[in-house]
Amino acid sequence: MNENSDKLWAGRASKSADSRVNDFNSSIRFDFRLVMEDIRGSIAHASMLGRRGIIPAEQAAKLVDELEVIAGEVVRGELAPPADAEDIHTFIEAELTRRLGDAGKRLHTARSRNDQVATDFKLWVREECLAMRKEFAALVRTLLNLAEKNLETVMPGYTHLQRAQPVTFGHYMLAYAQMFLRDCSRLTDAHERADGCPLGSGALAGTTHPIDREMTAELLGFSAPCENSLDGVSDRDFALELLADLSIAAVHLSRLAEEIILWSSTEFSFIELDDAFSTGSSIMPQKKNPDVAELVRGKSGRVFGDLTALLTAMKGLPLAYNKDMQEDKEAVFDAVDTIRLGLSAFIPMCETMTVNAERMREAAGKGFINATDCADYLASRGVPFRDAYKAVGGIVKYCIENSKTLETMTLDEYRLFRPEFEEDVFEAISLEKCVEGRCVYGGPAPKEAAKRLAAARARLSEYTEAE
Ligand code: ARG
């Protein structure tokens, strides 16, 4: 027996671990973040051990009381782990043993750090699924407010970044609201699927002690224990799922950020960012830079990296626990912190930006974005759509050659191409009419978009009222 080691697992080895191994192995600098979950898990475990008579009831009670004392000290910042602590689990157990002696040493009966860490981390991830959902719900609220104010703000819609058909800025914001509502729904799913308590899985093969897994699961807010002890300790799907959900959300954030960067350029000038949410240049006095949007776009790469790191760490691991799995925490913490920090600046940046409706309308008036409507006009007068399409193609060519737009063509000029044109073509191609006419379900017509806005608000309230 190695008497010199202070490690909980000292016993088998004849030497203490080399200090370089300790440094490399230790996870306390990042897993201290799980301290409250670790204490909650230990309170549930100790209570269960006492209830089942696996340890003396009065010792279980002492453990629970002392764990609560420790929690209070941590909250008040009075207790911090020594730099050479191994991880949060051993630190709390050592602390209990220092304070309570034998009772502390009994806490780990019928438990392993493997089911302990899986439980702690799952508790943390489950809470964060809901907390992240709340963050995205706040973004959705902002986008819906922007949509509401801009249901009639006509702007060009694009494909291939070429002006395509008229939409409204409100409709555009509703598109992003849909994406982030799906993110909220994915986070809800992730929270629900992470509903199996690993505690009681032991190191990998459960335990011979007569524990009550239903009791600990219930105390920790799970509806049931995990079904299989090997899976209980080796599953990190819950972490991967949160990372995957955040990665998809980061794609959405990055796309919106990209649009905001484009729109705030002089070339577009569709929006102007508030001075408080933009930055200047150290050399070019005229510059107003969209740093917040750029960083949100850039940091999406970090979040994908976190997902890739954990997928790669997990992919070849044999059952059950392997130390590789310690890599799970930093990836998830980083992704959560990155998204939270990004949203804290991104949401108010969206709230405070000025929408330049005139500029959008002007851009919509150029580039023939009502050409489809012109062809539709002919089609509704009996011209087969393909012929109508060709005729309007010819009209657009004529306009370009003669510096005209569809609006400034005369009726006689229109009739050079098709006799079906009448005076009412001008109404049919007016941009406001083109948008109004797109009143199909999910279309940009203000009346239709208002209905979808109401539906989106109703969905949002499911997430905000659930809290
Ligand atoms: N710090 C470890 C982790 O995060 C705790 C589990 C240690 N288990 C073990 N068998 N070494 O994964």
Side-chain angles (χ1 to χ4, degrees):
M1 164 98 184
N2 164 26
E3 300 293 344
N4 297 326
S5 175
D6 55 0
K7 286 279 174 290
L8 289 180
W9 38 264
R12 185 186 186 282
S14 53
K15 281 186 193 171
S16 302
D18 188 288
S19 68
R20 288 162 294 191
V21 171
N22 286 338
D23 293 346
F24 186 53
N25 231 6
S26 161
S27 52
I28 192 72
R29 70 187 179 284
F30 53 84
D31 69 15
F32 188 72
R33 198 162 169 175
L34 297 176
V35 62
M36 287 305 167
E37 287 72 19
D38 197 73
I39 290 174
R40 270 180 75 196
S42 288
I43 288 177
H45 185 65
S47 309
M48 182 278 293
L49 291 178
R51 172 85 66 85
R52 300 292 292 205
I54 299 170
I55 66 171
E58 74 281 1
Q59 294 206 356
K62 270 197 194 167
L63 281 168
V64 171
D65 288 349
E66 200 57 36
L67 282 160
E68 272 158 9
V69 170
I70 292 177
E73 291 173 16
V74 170
V75 170
R76 292 190 298 276
E78 293 162 10
L79 185 68
D84 64 344
E86 184 175 341
D87 59 24
I88 184 60
H89 326 293
T90 50
F91 168 61
I92 297 291
E93 190 184 323
E95 196 56 31
L96 283 168
T97 303
R98 195 177 63 75
R99 298 176 187 205
L100 303 177
D102 264 7
K105 292 192 211 157
R106 291 214 157 92
L107 174 63
H108 214 49
T109 316
R111 186 175 73 170
S112 154
R113 271 187 299 163
N114 299 348
D115 58 345
Q116 190 180 358
V117 72
T119 305
D120 292 4
F121 195 35
K122 209 166 185 180
L123 285 171
W124 193 91
V125 164
R126 290 196 92 203
E127 265 183 32
E128 219 38 66
C129 287
L130 299 183
M132 281 283 119
R133 188 178 75 176
K134 196 170 164 190
E135 303 275 345
F136 285 107
L139 175 59
V140 171
R141 192 174 307 116
T142 298
L143 296 176
L144 295 182
N145 290 342
L146 275 167
E148 186 161 32
K149 287 190 205 119
N150 290 285
L151 288 180
E152 311 210 345
T153 308
V154 174
M155 71 178 279
Y158 298 80
T159 62
H160 313 270
L161 203 55
Q162 304 287 324
R163 288 174 189 160
Q165 290 179 345
V167 294
T168 67
F169 189 65
H171 189 55
Y172 222 107
M173 291 299 103
L174 287 174
Y176 278 101
Q178 288 297 322
M179 300 180 214
F180 294 115
L181 280 170
R182 284 197 295 277
D183 293 323
C184 289
S185 135
R186 263 186 282 275
L187 289 163
T188 307
D189 292 352
H191 175 263
E192 269 173 32
R193 217 173 344 268
D195 187 13
C197 183
L199 199 59
S201 298
L204 72 161
T207 176
T208 54
H209 292 284
I211 60 171
D212 182 348
R213 292 196 63 196
E214 278 78 12
M215 177 181 166
T216 43
E218 201 189 317
L219 285 174
L220 294 172
F222 293 98
S223 58
C226 304
E227 295 276 325
N228 180 291
S229 65
L230 286 165
D231 182 51
V233 292
S234 18
D235 168 40
R236 291 294 182 275
D237 289 2
F238 57 91
L240 287 171
E241 203 165 336
L242 175 57
L243 285 172
D245 292 354
L246 293 182
S247 293
I248 296 173
V251 171
H252 301 150
L253 280 173
S254 183
R255 293 181 78 173
L256 178 53
E258 166 70 10
E259 306 243 42
I260 288 172
I261 294 160
L262 279 174
W263 292 338
S264 63
S265 67
T266 310
E267 283 70 10
F268 274 83
S269 299
F270 283 4
I271 57 157
E272 192 183 343
L273 295 178
D274 192 272
D275 283 358
F277 289 92
S278 9
T279 51
S281 152
S282 59
I283 173 169
M284 297 166 282
Q286 84 283 12
K287 287 299 284 292
K288 182 167 166 181
N289 294 329
D291 282 26
V292 171
E294 289 171 288
L295 262 181
V296 162
R297 184 178 61 183
K299 281 178 189 284
S300 61
R302 256 177 101 121
V303 179
F304 309 158
D306 292 326
L307 171 63
T308 308
L310 188 57
L311 284 170
T312 313
M314 293 300 297
K315 78 166 186 51
L317 297 186
L319 302 185
Y321 179 84
N322 302 269
K323 189 76 171 194
D324 316 44
M325 288 156 75
Q326 182 167 284
E327 289 291 306
D328 56 3
K329 286 168 276 300
E330 283 169 293
V332 174
F333 293 159
D334 182 68
V336 165
D337 292 344
T338 300
I339 296 276
R340 181 168 280 126
L341 189 63
L343 285 176
S344 74
F346 191 78
I347 294 175
M349 179 199 71
C350 292
E351 266 163 14
T352 54
M353 70 190 184
T354 311
V355 176
N356 191 345
E358 262 169 48
R359 234 330 264 166
M360 289 185 185
R361 177 66 181 74
E362 190 191 319
K366 295 172 184 165
F368 305 100
I369 68 174
N370 44 3
T372 316
D373 302 83
C374 189
D376 284 341
Y377 170 88
L378 286 176
S380 68
R381 267 148 197 80
V383 180
F385 181 77
R386 194 46 66 207
D387 294 339
Y389 171 95
K390 273 201 188 124
V392 177
I395 295 172
V396 169
K397 185 161 178 271
Y398 174 89
C399 284
I400 293 168
E401 284 163 4
N402 295 281
S403 307
K404 297 211 155 208
T405 66
L406 295 184
E407 288 85 347
T408 59
M409 292 265 292
T410 64
L411 184 56
D412 288 339
E413 284 174 306
Y414 270 113
R415 287 203 169 133
L416 295 173
F417 294 87
R418 291 294 311 198
E420 291 85 352
F421 279 114
E422 302 285 349
E423 193 59 46
D424 59 356
V425 65
F426 295 104
E427 205 193 323
I429 58 158
S430 97
L431 284 182
E432 283 65 28
K433 275 272 165 327
C434 296
V435 171
E436 244 172 64
R438 294 181 141 74
C439 54
V440 61
Y441 188 104
K447 271 194 189 147
E448 170 56 26
K451 287 186 206 157
R452 303 281 76 81
L453 170 65
R457 280 213 196 284
R459 272 178 66 201
L460 177 63
S461 69
E462 284 172 34
Y463 302 128
T464 45
E465 277 157 26
E467 284 146 24

